[in-house]
Amino acid sequence: MRVVLVEGASDRAAVEVLARRLGAGPLEVVVLHGITNLRARLRDQPPGPDGVLLLHDAAESAHVERVLADAGSSAGGVRRFVCDADLEDELIRAVGVPAMLGIVGAQGERTAYDRMAQQPAQRDRTDHQRLRRWLGARSGHKLTYAALLAEAVPLDAVPAPLRDLLTEPDAGAAADPG
């Protein structure tokens, strides 16, 4: 069984939904509760013979590189898959703004979203930017919408980091070499 490390519970929800939809083999998805816990995770349970797959945000790359360098050969089995801004950004792009707004509406939250979008700080932002902000604005939004977006994304539009994580024959052929 492949072990996948993710930063948060919303990442786990999206990975699990897409793994099911793509027919990926068995995975154990482990939530780090923040990338800063990667060091402790690798210290307490180093990668086994099958290695570990790590999904993280591009902004966290410098931290991840330091942790892997400090861990040395014990982290040699970590294969990285990097989201551009974050997983939610990747999923919004893949699903598209109109479909994402439809999902917000289906959750009965379109009026609340529209109110937020009219706030002075949001007016000059694009709908894509506002939707990213929307996901982080309320507790539980990321978790709820990660699963909904993962269900909605067309399989031929699954974001590259997730597609590569879940479908590469070696499960690391397209990984960031670090």
Side-chain angles (χ1 to χ4, degrees):
M1 178 177 302
R2 294 180 293 163
V3 174
V4 178
L5 303 179
V6 297
E7 294 183 53
S10 62
D11 300 329
R12 175 175 53 200
V15 167
E16 289 175 344
V17 167
L18 284 169
R20 176 186 48 78
R21 290 187 65 212
L22 292 167
L27 300 173
E28 177 187 354
V29 184
V30 177
V31 176
L32 293 170
H33 301 287
I35 199 68
T36 57
N37 292 317
L38 177 61
R39 183 180 311 278
R41 171 67 163 99
L42 293 175
R43 180 190 61 235
D44 297 343
Q45 191 173 7
D50 296 330
V52 168
L53 309 177
L54 172 64
L55 180 68
H56 67 89
D57 304 339
E60 307 295 348
S61 290
H63 173 75
V64 170
E65 289 167 9
R66 280 191 307 276
V67 169
L68 296 179
D70 291 348
S73 63
S74 67
V78 177
R79 296 182 304 245
R80 298 170 50 200
F81 300 84
V82 183
C83 295
D84 185 22
D86 56 27
L87 181 66
E88 292 78 19
D89 178 62
E90 298 273 1
L91 290 170
I92 292 168
R93 268 188 281 133
V95 169
V97 168
M100 175 65 184
L101 289 171
I103 292 169
V104 171
Q107 293 302 301
E109 296 190 301
R110 183 59 192 259
T111 300
Y113 170 78
D114 289 341
R115 271 195 308 260
M116 185 219 60
Q118 292 306 311
Q119 293 174 356
Q122 302 300 322
R123 289 185 192 145
D124 292 335
R125 293 183 177 181
T126 66
D127 275 326
H128 180 98
Q129 292 168 327
R130 285 190 289 256
L131 286 165
R132 280 193 63 222
R133 174 69 182 110
W134 169 256
L135 293 177
R138 183 179 297 161
S139 178
H141 261 178
K142 281 189 174 188
L143 182 58
T144 298
Y145 283 95
L148 293 169
L149 288 167
E151 285 289 354
V153 68
L155 290 180
D156 63 351
V158 171
L162 289 163
R163 181 194 65 235
D164 295 346
L165 173 81
L166 296 168
T167 65
E168 286 297 320
D170 177 337
D176 179 341

